[in-house]
Amino acid sequence: MKQLNRRQWLRTAGLTSAVVATSKLGYARDLAVMPQMADNDPMVRLASNENPFAPSEMVKKAMQKALDVSYQYPFSHYKVLIDKLAKQYDVTPDHILLTSGSNEGLRATGITYSIFGGEILTAQPTYSALMDYAQEFGAYINAVPLDKELKFNLDEIEKRINTNTKLVFLCNPNNPTGTLLDAKKVTDFCETVSKRTLVFSDEAYYDYITEKNYPSMLPLVKAGKNVIISRTFSKVYGLAGVRVGYLIARPDIIERIRPKIMGYVNLLGIYGAAAALDDKTLHQYSLEMNEKAKKHIYKVCNDLGLEYVPSHGNFVFIKTGRPIQTFQQEMLTKGVMVGRPFPPLMDWCRVSTGTMDDMLKWEMATRKILG
Ligand SMILES: Cc1ncc(COP(=O)(O)O)c(C=O)c1O
């Protein structure tokens, strides 16, 4: 692919006037306007919470091997990955639904619990893929502002549950704030609330949590509660490009959601993800490098006197004090892509962690603009 210069690139990606279209809740819903990049583009990618490191040789080999059978439909290969996941989580295979990235699981759940109307309760800002789909299909989104620490306000959410509530959506750690809920509080909340309605716990960033013994909501699923968990291979496993995620829930819940799944997880994704589960190298390295990159971001913010939220994910939410659309543009002209708007916090910016080289480029651009 031909290398574009920066101005051509900005024009091609439609970024000179509008950055990335977002829904009211903030999800980048119109993928058609997502920046298009050549694989050798020098732009520093700190906009999508990707892992900046490629999967290991072992994982790549597994994907290469999958090419040999790529003339086959993937569904007859699902068992390879489902059985591994079931073993890892100590659940039966019918508790697991493979999805094309966890986004598909979020969307399918959104559709399942909104087609007959009703209400979805959540916070704002959070990762809104489920809510955006639910809203399209007729749900009312009851979004509670985050509390002073930019965490989900669980007390207020619980208060707002009513007979119309179809589902409560939690994202923990939360995207874009990186905040983590108190372990006991969130477990008690899910246990109590799941007696009244369904609870969805998006655990995309669970692997990045450094707090010892921090609970997943998995034991509640195993205890047969009304709880759904989503996980992904896009983050710490570095497989965002091959689209593998999954839901874990009671088999009857899985069977309700399954018919709304629109595609298949591709063959490379199945074998890549299955191999990645056995490969602790990238996992460990990604976690270590993520901590280093976050420390670097905190240091630059401290130097510049910028408010930020200590993060439990692979990104940091920073109060730049500038409208995010303007700031995003300014950073782009310096070769750095940063996160999209997360209304209503429009003068904050989410920066994903990258390689140390990426972080130095981010630092230079940030100091030039905000220093
Ligand atoms: C909280 C959260 N959930 C889900 C996703 C979707 O990721 P994927 O579809 O790649 O699994 C993201 C992506 O950034 C996210 O931040």
Side-chain angles (χ1 to χ4, degrees):
M1 214 161 164
K2 189 172 144 270
Q3 181 70 47
L4 306 177
N5 68 34
R6 181 131 305 130
R7 187 167 302 153
Q8 286 168 323
W9 186 87
L10 288 170
R11 210 180 301 127
T12 313
L15 291 170
T16 41
S17 52
V19 180
V20 169
T22 53
S23 69
K24 273 191 211 133
L25 288 167
Y27 176 61
R29 70 174 10 162
D30 189 353
L31 295 181
V33 299
M34 290 298 271
Q36 303 301 299
M37 299 173 81
D39 57 2
N40 55 353
D41 195 294
M43 190 68 73
V44 176
R45 303 170 64 101
L46 305 178
S48 303
N49 300 347
E50 294 159 345
N51 191 328
F53 303 105
S56 69
E57 287 309 309
M58 177 184 139
V59 172
K60 283 188 207 161
K61 269 199 188 124
M63 290 196 277
Q64 257 157 9
K65 213 165 152 225
L67 286 174
D68 292 342
V69 283
S70 59
Y71 56 91
Q72 297 176 5
Y73 284 113
F75 41 78
S76 54
H77 298 259
Y78 272 23
K79 194 170 158 28
V80 173
L81 181 56
I82 292 179
D83 284 355
K84 266 197 157 166
L85 290 168
K87 195 166 169 213
Q88 170 165 319
Y89 293 116
D90 191 24
V91 294
T92 54
D94 53 1
H95 281 77
I96 292 171
L97 181 61
L98 292 188
T99 55
S100 178
S102 58
N103 249 326
E104 191 185 31
L106 290 161
R107 291 169 177 171
T109 306
I111 295 171
T112 306
Y113 294 95
S114 66
I115 38 179
F116 303 113
E119 195 172 302
I120 308 276
L121 250 171
T122 189
Q124 191 187 17
T126 189
Y127 192 73
S128 62
L130 186 152
M131 280 67 73
D132 285 329
Y133 261 59
Q135 198 166 30
E136 269 326 310
F137 285 83
Y140 169 71
I141 308 303
N142 192 343
V144 177
L146 295 178
D147 68 14
K148 280 195 204 101
E149 292 174 356
L150 298 187
K151 293 184 179 178
F152 271 65
N153 185 342
L154 295 180
D155 294 335
E156 181 58 29
I157 291 177
E158 193 169 346
K159 263 190 223 152
R160 291 199 196 180
I161 296 173
N162 60 66
T163 50
N164 243 348
T165 308
K166 292 284 188 313
L167 180 148
V168 171
F169 174 82
L170 299 183
C171 182
N172 193 35
N174 188 35
N175 178 6
T177 54
T179 43
L180 187 68
L181 289 162
D182 176 79
K184 179 166 168 19
K185 192 153 188 180
V186 69
T187 311
D188 290 350
F189 173 90
C190 290
E191 192 151 13
T192 314
V193 164
S194 64
K195 289 182 186 136
R196 300 172 65 193
T197 185
L198 194 61
V199 180
F200 191 108
S201 176
D202 182 330
E203 298 185 356
Y205 300 101
Y206 182 81
D207 292 274
Y208 292 102
I209 299 171
T210 50
E211 225 170 82
K212 277 221 159 73
N213 303 321
Y214 190 84
S216 157
M217 294 305 112
L218 183 68
L220 299 181
V221 173
K222 289 189 190 178
K225 310 273 181 202
N226 276 317
V227 174
I228 306 174
I229 292 172
S230 65
R231 293 280 182 103
T232 180
F233 283 91
S234 298
K235 307 297 174 185
V236 79
Y237 291 104
L239 290 170
V242 288
R243 314 303 301 126
V244 194
Y246 53 99
L247 302 179
I248 316 177
R250 236 174 37 219
D252 63 297
I253 297 176
I254 293 289
E255 287 320 312
R256 230 186 124 180
I257 299 171
R258 193 191 300 280
K260 283 84 179 179
I261 293 294
M262 289 181 200
Y264 301 121
V265 175
N266 71 84
L267 211 75
L268 270 63
I270 293 167
Y271 285 99
L277 286 175
D278 292 332
D279 175 27
K280 297 289 165 228
T281 334
L282 178 72
H283 198 273
Q284 198 48 38
Y285 184 68
S286 302
L287 295 180
E288 280 165 23
M289 293 311 287
N290 183 52
E291 286 306 307
K292 268 195 183 168
K294 278 197 295 190
K295 278 198 185 116
H296 190 81
I297 297 175
Y298 299 158
K299 184 185 171 307
V300 174
C301 288
N302 289 334
D303 280 0
L304 295 174
L306 298 174
E307 188 185 336
Y308 62 89
V309 191
S311 167
H312 297 266
N314 62 346
F315 52 89
V316 181
F317 204 41
I318 302 168
K319 186 167 186 175
T320 63
R322 302 228 181 165
I324 180 61
Q325 287 96 337
T326 319
F327 184 67
Q328 214 178 6
Q329 287 285 354
E330 287 176 293
M331 290 296 275
L332 276 175
T333 61
K334 307 227 171 312
V336 181
M337 289 169 72
V338 291
R340 58 192 160 83
F342 285 96
L345 303 177
M346 298 300 277
D347 59 349
W348 288 70
C349 170
R350 190 196 66 192
V351 178
S352 310
T353 58
T355 62
M356 280 320 284
D357 195 39
D358 292 339
M359 297 330 300
L360 292 174
K361 288 180 183 144
W362 164 81
E363 175 181 1
M364 217 181 334
T366 304
R367 284 188 188 277
K368 272 201 185 127
I369 297 167
L370 298 175

